[in-house]
Each structure stands twice: as structure tokens, then as C-alpha cells.
Amino acid sequence: MSLPVVQDAKGAATVETGDSRRHLLDLSLNELQQWLAKAGQPKFRARQIVHWVFQRRVADFSQMSDLPKALRQRLDESFRILVTSSSASVASSDGTDKLLVRLPDGGEVECVLLRDGTRRSICVSSQVGCAMGCVFCASGLDGVDRNLTTGEILEQMLLLQARLAEGERLSHIVMMGMGEPLANLDRVLGALDVARSRDGLGISPRRITISTVGLPPAMDRLSKAGVPYNLAVSLHAPNDSLRSELVPVNRKIGINAVLDAADRYFDSCGRRLTFEYVLLGGINDREKEARELVKLLRSRTVMLNVIPYNPVAGLPYVTPNNRAIAEFRKTLEQGGINVKFRQRKGSEIDAACGQLRRNRGSTASSDRDS
Ligand code: SAH
């Protein structure tokens, strides 16, 4: 049987509907090994298959030349390797590529490749839309449609890997695309298991960051997973009244519960925490907030990542001016906080999550026709 979805890791093709085969990338290594055992095959075949897909970038069983021919055929009858396609892409002059990824049910998510020196970082989505409702963010404007599957998360990584030149490797992953990764934790962890495995993408968990709005029970589950991923917590405000305005889920949680859960993560994994702070002109960028932040964070081992707002069409928020940014920075630095002010990489291509999907048609070039 030939693949109705003819799509290698480099190309985009339409996805045939009505295909009942399972999505290979939704299986854990364990599940694939079990399937192979039932087919009378040794365990190591699972690693061979993963190696072909992620390291050799082959998405067609017939090309997996170290597998027995009969097995290749059985695999092909049972599994599809890729089910998504890149439906649009934009490249920015600073080396940032953004893809719009079309899912089998027609949904779309975004993912980004950032080139910085030798770093090749990717920003990956975990859900279609987002339920968290952060008032300044484009991803949640229409709420959440659904969780992505493990395989759909992994395919974003493959589609971005395919943009690399020969010899280049992905070096870092940030789960900072659309959606709340901790609201889809099992699938995110399943995908990251493959991303960090030797036959998968081989990326150390120390180079993988999971960003969360701050959901304490899921943060505790992540602590218990015992893998030293970097945890980034989107704080955006130093007190409950402002945070609840900007990040509505905070009303039911509260900033102290978020910080306590972050502390527990630090205690169990020993990884320095990152807090993210989107700087919104006239809203959370004043001396008052900077001083409160110093009080909140100075006793903790943290990096504060300040991100000047990337404006979203239709939303009333603005990027602070350079003077406000510089003053905010000074107060934090004088207070002894480790801060990084993130450059607005990719801003010319709507790299802030959720923007390409909304602006589709005006800036994006369609890959499907090319
Ligand atoms: N739900 C997760 C991850 C998704 S977004 C979280 O909240 O952390 C990753 C980061 O980008 C978050 O800190 C988010 O608040 C921020 N962000 C969203 N929209 C933005 C925009 N328009 N400009 C700058 N940062 C933005």
C-alpha cells in the first residue's frame, strides 16, 4: 500500500482525509516497542524507526533500508508518519522563520525557528488557541479549540528542522507558542521525551524550556516528572490586583501560590527559574512595579526575562518607549535582580504567538502553492 500522504520532512503536501492509520508520532517508544513485539520484531527496531524520522529526516517507511522489507510494508499499512503540513511561512531578515501548520482537522497552529549565532531555537505550540485569556495576547482571543496530540507537537519540530541547512542541528526548544503547555502536560511531556532522546532530536532537557501562565498542580506534576527542564513562569505583574487584570486565571490562583509552586520546582530540579514579564506601556512598566518585583524576586534564584510588548492588531496595548524600558531595567538591576531584556526578534513577522494565524493572508506567503 502506498502512502496517501506523500510528504517528506522538507515538503508540504495536502493531507488525505479518511485515512484510518494511526499517527506514528503519537506513540511513545514503549508503545512502538509493544507494537513491534506483537509483529514479532525486536525492541531495537523502535529506535531505528525514530532515528530515521528525526535524525535522518525520512518520512517514508520504504526508505528505511535497515528494516526488513515485510516490516516496512506492515508499518506503512498501520501508520502515517506525518499528518500536518506547513500551510504558510514567513521569513524575517533577522533569521527568524515562522510557520503556520495545518492540522488534519483543518485547525492551525504556529511555530517559529530562531537563528542566533550557532543557536537554532524553536518555539512550539501546545494547543490550538488558548484558554488562559491573557488580555494582551493574540493566541487566546478566540479561546481554545483543543489540545495538540504528541505527534502534532513533534511535527512542528520536524517541519522547523527541515528549514535548517545541511549540517545544522536544532539546539534549543521553547514551549512558548500558542496554548498553555501545562494544560496539555502529558502530550507535551511525551513529545519532549522524543525531543531529548538520543535517537530523537537529542536535545538536552537543559536546553528545553516549558513556559507556563502558572498552574500550580501541573507545576507540581512537572516537578515529579524529575526531568530538569527549564521552567519559565509568565508573571507580568508583581501583585494580585494587576496580575488578575492581565492574566485572568490568576483570580482563582493568586500570585503567592504560583511563586510557591515555582519554588517547589526549583527545590526539586535545581534549575534556575525564569520569570517572564511582558512590558506594557503605562500598565506594568512603572517604577512602582519594578520596585515590587525586586521585593518579590530578590530572595529567589531567578532570571527575569522582560519582553517589550509586541503589539497585536485590535488590542489597546502599546510597547513602552525606550526611556521607560531603560528606567525599569535600572531599578531591577539596582535591586540585584538578574534581568534579560529580550529583543523583539521576528517582530516584523508577527512572531508573538497567535499573530500570524490571525493576520493570515496579509503577510504570510502560502507554501502550499509553491
Ligand atoms: N501559555 C504559556 C506560553 C505561551 S506564550 C505562558 O503563558 O507562558 C509565551 C510568552 O509570550 C508568555 O509569557 C506570553 O505572555 C508572552 N506573550 C504573549 N503575547 C505577547 C505579545 N504580544 N508580546 C510579547 N509577549 C507576548
Side-chain angles (χ1 to χ4, degrees):
M1 183 174 136
S2 66
L3 274 175
V5 184
V6 185
Q7 181 187 41
D8 62 19
K10 283 193 195 291
T14 49
V15 175
E16 184 95 29
T17 50
D19 188 332
S20 62
R21 294 175 303 163
R22 283 186 78 185
H23 187 190
L24 179 80
L25 304 184
D26 280 338
L27 272 67
S28 66
L29 194 62
N30 222 340
E31 288 167 329
L32 185 54
Q33 285 170 345
Q34 282 169 16
W35 185 92
L36 286 160
K38 277 192 200 136
Q41 292 290 324
K43 267 187 175 180
F44 68 82
R45 298 267 180 242
R47 291 197 178 282
Q48 282 179 305
I49 296 166
V50 172
H51 189 86
W52 275 111
V53 175
F54 288 88
Q55 297 274 326
R56 307 283 299 269
R57 309 182 193 181
V58 163
D60 182 345
F61 291 114
S62 70
Q63 288 173 31
M64 300 185 181
S65 53
D66 54 5
L67 303 182
K69 268 215 164 116
L71 174 62
R72 287 185 240 169
Q73 199 165 344
R74 267 196 83 175
L75 284 163
D76 192 31
E77 284 160 11
S78 306
F79 299 108
R80 292 159 72 185
I81 300 181
L82 300 178
V83 302
T84 73
S85 59
S86 156
S87 53
S89 68
V90 258
S92 147
S93 54
D94 64 8
T96 306
D97 285 3
K98 183 160 195 165
L99 301 186
L100 197 60
V101 176
R102 179 173 286 271
L103 307 168
D105 64 0
E108 287 180 318
V109 292
E110 300 178 11
C111 57
V112 187
L113 167 68
L114 299 111
R115 299 178 178 87
D116 188 6
T118 56
R119 273 187 182 219
R120 297 290 175 270
S121 309
I122 56 174
C123 177
V124 173
S125 292
S126 55
Q127 297 181 308
V128 185
C130 185
M132 300 300 116
C134 301
V135 294
F136 51 82
C137 176
S139 293
L141 288 176
D142 302 321
V144 67
D145 285 346
R146 67 171 174 90
N147 286 331
L148 292 182
T149 67
T150 298
E152 288 167 339
I153 296 169
L154 284 168
E155 277 198 37
Q156 295 171 65
M157 301 178 191
L158 286 174
L159 287 167
L160 292 167
Q161 176 175 251
R163 319 282 288 195
L164 296 181
E166 201 143 326
E168 285 186 328
R169 288 178 60 91
L170 296 178
S171 62
H172 294 74
I173 299 175
V174 294
M175 294 303 305
M176 286 190 189
M178 294 177 87
E180 169 51 44
L182 292 200
N184 188 17
L185 187 58
D186 291 334
R187 277 124 165 200
V188 167
L189 289 180
L192 294 180
D193 277 345
V194 177
R196 68 192 168 87
S197 76
R198 197 167 38 102
D199 294 293
L201 295 172
I203 299 176
S204 157
R206 292 165 199 284
R207 292 176 165 207
I208 297 176
T209 300
I210 302 177
S211 180
T212 180
V213 72
L215 305 177
M219 289 162 80
D220 287 337
R221 280 187 55 217
L222 186 60
S223 303
K224 291 202 183 88
V227 185
Y229 296 118
N230 300 304
L231 182 67
V233 179
S234 294
L235 201 58
H236 306 326
N239 57 61
D240 273 327
S241 62
L242 185 55
R243 191 166 196 266
S244 294
E245 257 176 56
L246 301 176
V247 180
V249 290
N250 188 65
R251 283 177 212 146
K252 288 197 201 122
I253 300 170
I255 210 164
N256 285 333
V258 173
L259 291 171
D260 288 348
D263 289 343
R264 290 194 292 275
Y265 189 81
F266 175 74
D267 289 341
S268 71
C269 292
R271 303 290 295 153
R272 182 177 69 179
L273 297 166
T274 298
F275 286 96
E276 288 163 282
Y277 195 96
V278 172
L279 212 53
L280 304 161
I283 292 183
N284 65 356
D285 65 338
R286 296 162 300 180
E287 171 88 24
K288 173 184 179 294
E289 282 87 29
R291 284 183 189 282
E292 279 183 79
L293 267 179
V294 170
K295 265 199 208 142
L296 214 57
L297 301 181
R298 83 178 147 209
S299 62
R300 296 180 155 94
T301 309
V302 302
M303 170 61 72
L304 181 65
N305 211 340
V306 182
I307 316 156
Y309 184 57
N310 206 338
V312 174
L315 293 183
Y317 306 99
V318 295
T319 316
N321 61 39
N322 287 341
R323 223 185 89 210
I325 295 176
E327 278 172 15
F328 198 79
R329 177 176 204 151
K330 201 166 120 201
T331 307
L332 291 167
E333 284 175 346
Q334 284 176 347
I337 306 295
N338 290 317
V339 283
K340 240 190 250 163
F341 276 65
R342 209 196 287 165
Q343 278 182 357
R344 295 172 55 214
K345 266 198 149 240
S347 54
E348 70 186 74
I349 57 165
D350 297 333
C353 42
Q355 295 193 53
L356 178 62
R357 190 174 72 141
R358 292 191 75 76
N359 295 351
R360 186 156 193 224
S362 57
T363 52
S365 70
S366 171
D367 275 358
R368 233 176 316 162
D369 303 327
S370 58

